[in-house]
Amino acid sequence: MCTVAMTPLVLIAGLIELSTAIPYVLDIRRGKTYPAIVSWATWLVLALIATGASFSEGAVASGVISSALVLECSIIILFSLEKAHFTYSLFDACCQFGAILGLFMWWWTDNPMAALIFFVVIDATGALPTFRHAWRRPREETLYTFSLSIVGNALALAVVPVYTVPEILIPAYLLTVNTLLSGTIFFRK
């Protein structure tokens, strides 16, 4: 059951989320940003699956945000690999293993609502390398990217007429994680 229609505000929220890739890619090209590739790869896989799960649950706002994330992550990964500007460590490998284990559990449940919940757990695991990188080298992360994502996800939440878990879970989580990442980068610089 669809709880929110595809309104111009939902599309704007998705476009804001997608636009967060622009400052990040510019900083990659300038040699200022070195993405934690495990985080972006994890976010890409999750966004692909969450897009399908969101739309199958009728959660349009979550589906639009997830679709924008697919494009955003793909663009960032491509530019990171092209410029060979990324980080990867033993910690990243452990987080990647945890994310893969979570993906297996997600597949095993074969339930769209469980998939959305696993999205949050796996995404948080995948975000750990970026949090660690932001803490250690905040000048190698792009504050504007994560701050813009706050705006897009807040807007996605604002247009939901009836709050249901499938509809708000992804935007609410992304609002939280991006607020924490932005705060880490801002206060550590």
Side-chain angles (χ1 to χ4, degrees):
M1 177 177 142
C2 184
T3 57
V4 65
M6 181 69 76
T7 66
L9 288 178
V10 172
L11 291 174
I12 290 169
L15 289 173
I16 291 170
E17 182 61 44
L18 179 58
S19 74
T20 65
I22 296 167
Y24 210 81
V25 166
L26 290 174
D27 280 354
I28 290 169
R29 294 190 56 80
R30 292 179 189 129
K32 290 181 168 182
T33 293
Y34 294 83
I37 201 75
V38 167
S39 293
W40 291 100
T42 300
W43 293 334
L44 172 60
V45 171
L46 290 174
L48 283 165
I49 298 168
T51 298
S54 295
F55 285 125
S56 74
E57 285 286 311
V60 175
S62 287
V64 168
I65 292 293
S66 297
S67 298
L69 284 170
V70 169
L71 294 172
E72 174 190 354
C73 293
S74 297
I75 291 165
I76 289 171
I77 289 169
L78 289 173
F79 277 92
S80 298
L81 294 174
E82 176 197 7
K83 295 292 281 182
H85 282 225
F86 57 87
T87 62
Y88 194 83
S89 67
L90 180 60
F91 178 76
D92 294 336
C94 291
C95 290
Q96 188 173 35
F97 175 76
I100 290 169
L101 180 62
L103 283 170
F104 171 76
M105 295 301 295
W106 185 346
W107 167 79
W108 186 56
T109 64
D110 193 31
N111 176 318
M113 188 60 220
L116 294 173
I117 293 168
F118 275 115
F119 170 93
V120 172
V121 174
I122 299 164
D123 188 277
T125 303
L128 290 175
T130 297
F131 272 106
R132 183 176 190 226
H133 189 244
W135 183 264
R136 289 180 161 182
R137 294 183 207 99
R139 295 193 188 286
E140 291 183 6
E141 287 294 346
T142 304
L143 175 62
Y144 194 61
T145 292
F146 300 105
S147 299
L148 255 179
S149 188
I150 293 169
V151 175
N153 285 290
L155 183 58
L157 286 171
V159 300
V160 175
V162 178
Y163 286 162
T164 63
V165 174
E167 190 66 80
I168 68 165
L169 185 61
I170 290 175
Y173 164 73
L174 292 172
L175 176 69
T176 303
V177 77
N178 284 294
T179 299
L180 292 172
L181 273 167
S182 294
T184 300
I185 295 165
F186 180 80
F187 290 111
R188 292 291 295 167
K189 280 187 178 181

